[in-house]
Amino acid sequence: MLFDRLIGIFSVDMGIDLGTCNTLVSVRGQGIVLNEPSVVAVKKGTNQVLKNGEAVGWTAKEMLGKTPGSISAVRPLKDGVISDFEITEAMLSYFIRKVNGRSKIIGPRVVVSVPSGITAVEKRAVFDSCERAGARRTYLIEEPIAAAIGAGLPFAEATASMIVDIGGGTTEVAIMSLADIATCESVRVAGDDMDEAIINHMKRTYNMMIGEQTAERIKIEIGSAAPVEQDRSIEVRGRDMISGLPRKTEVSSEEIRQALQEPVQAIIEAVTRTLERAEPELAADLVENGITMAGGGSLLRGLTQVVQKATGLTTVLADDPLTCVARGTCIYLEHLEEWKSTLENDMDS
C-alpha cells in the first residue's frame, strides 16, 4: 500500500479509449482529461512527426485534406485497430506525455479499450505501442465492457445488459451478464462508413468530390436514419469531377438518409444476429432491460428508433454516448485491484 502511494506521487493511472476517429484519456480520480482526434501530421515518406512531435490531435486534424506535398496528415488506426505501428506509437507518446506530465518520472499504468473482435496480433500491437510510448503496465479491456460500465449498466449482475457501441471504425454489439460477455459481434462498419457513403453519394449524384471533414459535417448537421419531420438542406462545397473546378450545391436531408441506408442496415443486422444467438433466459431479460446505444455514431438522428423498430426492444441512448468507453475505463481504473484478474495484463494470460 505504501509502495502504491509512493508510485502515485511520481505517476498516474490512465484509461485510454484508442478510437479510429478520436482518442480520449481519463485519469484515475479526475475523469476525462483529454479528447483529441486520432490524427498525426508527418513528413511525407517518413514517420517523423512535425513540430518536434507536437503535430498530433487537433493540430493535425486541421491539416486533413489541406496539406502541401511535403506533409501527410495520417490517421494511424483503421477499423478500430492499429494500421501504422510507428505513427500510433508517436501519437500515444504525445498523449501520455501530455497527461502524465513532465514532472512524473515513472510511466503510468494504462487501461486501453480494444474492439472485441481483434486478433492476437492486433492486441500485441496495442501492448507494444503503449509500452514503447512510456506505459509502465498495460491492461486491455474490451470496448463493449467499457461502454457498458460507462453507460451505468448493471453488467456485473445476473441479468442481461445489451450495449451497441458505434465508434468511428467498428460497431460493437454485446449481451453481458455477471461481469462478462455472453455473446457479441464486432463489425467493421461504423461512423467512417457513414462518411464514406456520403462521399460516394456526392460523386454519383453531383459529380462532386468532397473531403472526409465535409462528409462528417453533412452527417452531423442533416444526417438521419429515419424520416425527419422537416426536410432540411445544406450547402456543400467541393471539386467538380468533370471540370476540375471548385463549386457548391445544395443537398437535402432526405437524400443523405437514403445514402446512409447501407451502413445503417449493416449495423441493424449485427444487432439482430447477436440477439438470435442469445440464450433464452438472457433474451427474456432483454424484453425488460432493452438496448442501450453508445459511441459517436449512435448520435445519428433516428437511429435508436430504427433499432427499436427492427428488434421490438426498448432502445435508449446512453448519457453522453461519445465518452461512454472512456468513462468506463476510468471506473475500471478505480476498481483495478479487484478487477484486473479479468483483464489481459500481459500477452501470456
Side-chain angles (χ1 to χ4, degrees):
M1 184 65 72
L2 177 61
F3 177 75
D4 289 340
R5 287 178 182 173
L6 288 172
I7 288 289
I9 296 171
F10 301 107
S11 181
V12 296
D13 288 343
M14 62 178 71
I16 300 178
D17 174 11
L18 189 60
T20 306
C21 293
N22 294 286
T23 296
L24 288 83
V25 179
S26 57
V27 170
R28 189 174 184 173
Q30 297 179 37
I32 295 169
V33 296
L34 182 143
N35 181 356
E36 297 206 28
S38 303
V39 185
V40 182
V42 298
K43 288 186 178 178
K44 199 150 195 173
T46 74
N47 288 326
Q48 185 180 345
V49 183
L50 299 178
K51 296 184 180 178
N52 298 319
E54 300 293 309
V56 178
W58 289 113
T59 305
K61 185 171 184 179
E62 291 172 0
M63 303 179 187
L64 272 177
K66 301 178 182 179
T67 56
S70 60
I71 298 172
S72 293
V74 179
R75 292 173 61 182
L77 290 104
K78 184 173 175 58
D79 298 330
V81 296
I82 294 171
S83 60
D84 193 305
F85 187 89
E86 289 185 40
I87 296 178
T88 301
E89 183 186 318
M91 182 178 77
L92 279 170
S93 294
Y94 172 77
F95 290 146
I96 288 174
R97 280 199 320 272
K98 191 170 183 178
V99 173
N100 200 41
R102 299 186 187 279
S103 61
K104 302 289 186 183
I105 60 176
I106 299 175
R109 288 190 301 179
V110 173
V111 174
V112 185
S113 65
V114 294
S116 58
I118 68 171
T119 65
V121 173
E122 290 165 340
K123 287 178 183 176
R124 165 59 70 186
V126 176
F127 268 106
D128 289 348
S129 290
C130 290
E131 185 179 283
R132 292 171 185 268
R136 181 171 90 255
R137 192 73 182 270
T138 300
Y139 304 88
L140 299 188
I141 178 173
E142 292 181 319
E143 279 181 17
I145 293 177
I149 296 170
L153 298 184
F155 91 112
E157 298 176 13
T159 184
S161 300
M162 186 167 184
I163 191 84
V164 180
D165 176 29
I166 307 173
T170 59
T171 293
E172 305 285 324
V173 185
I175 299 171
M176 287 159 289
S177 179
L178 294 170
D180 205 353
I181 294 174
T183 182
C184 71
E185 182 156 349
S186 177
V187 292
R188 297 189 176 185
V189 178
D192 283 353
D193 298 272
M194 295 180 190
D195 296 343
E196 188 64 32
I198 293 171
I199 290 171
N200 291 334
H201 171 75
M202 296 303 294
K203 287 180 185 176
R204 288 193 308 266
T205 309
Y206 296 99
N207 286 317
M208 180 185 281
M209 286 285 291
I210 62 171
E212 292 175 6
Q213 294 195 76
T214 299
E216 184 180 31
R217 181 175 64 88
I218 295 169
K219 176 182 70 179
I220 291 169
E221 293 192 17
I222 64 169
S224 66
V228 292
E229 291 182 6
Q230 185 175 2
D231 194 25
R232 297 176 56 205
S233 62
I234 188 174
E235 184 180 86
V236 179
R237 302 181 184 91
R239 176 167 57 83
D240 192 290
M241 294 171 65
I242 298 172
S243 69
L245 300 175
R247 71 177 175 93
K248 62 184 179 181
T249 190
E250 290 273 332
V251 296
S252 69
S253 54
E254 172 62 24
E255 61 183 293
I256 296 303
R257 181 175 70 83
Q258 293 297 329
L260 292 173
Q261 284 306 296
E262 188 175 336
V264 167
Q265 190 58 37
I267 291 168
I268 291 169
E269 287 171 3
V271 173
T272 55
R273 281 196 302 269
T274 305
L275 286 167
E276 287 164 4
R277 295 200 301 270
E279 293 292 332
E281 292 296 336
L282 294 178
D285 287 344
L286 292 175
V287 173
E288 181 178 346
N289 298 342
I291 299 171
T292 301
M293 299 189 66
S298 64
L299 291 168
L300 184 70
R301 292 174 189 84
L303 190 53
T304 52
Q305 293 96 301
V306 170
V307 172
Q308 181 164 316
K309 184 177 179 181
T311 61
L313 299 175
T314 303
T315 305
V316 298
L317 197 60
D319 292 335
D320 197 4
L322 277 166
T323 65
C324 267
V325 173
R327 283 185 282 124
T329 61
C330 196
I331 295 167
Y332 223 124
L333 276 167
E334 292 167 5
H335 298 85
L336 189 58
E337 297 309 317
E338 57 186 283
W339 286 351
K340 69 179 179 182
S341 61
T342 67
L343 292 168
E344 298 178 57
N345 55 9
D346 59 60
M347 291 307 294
D348 298 323
S349 61

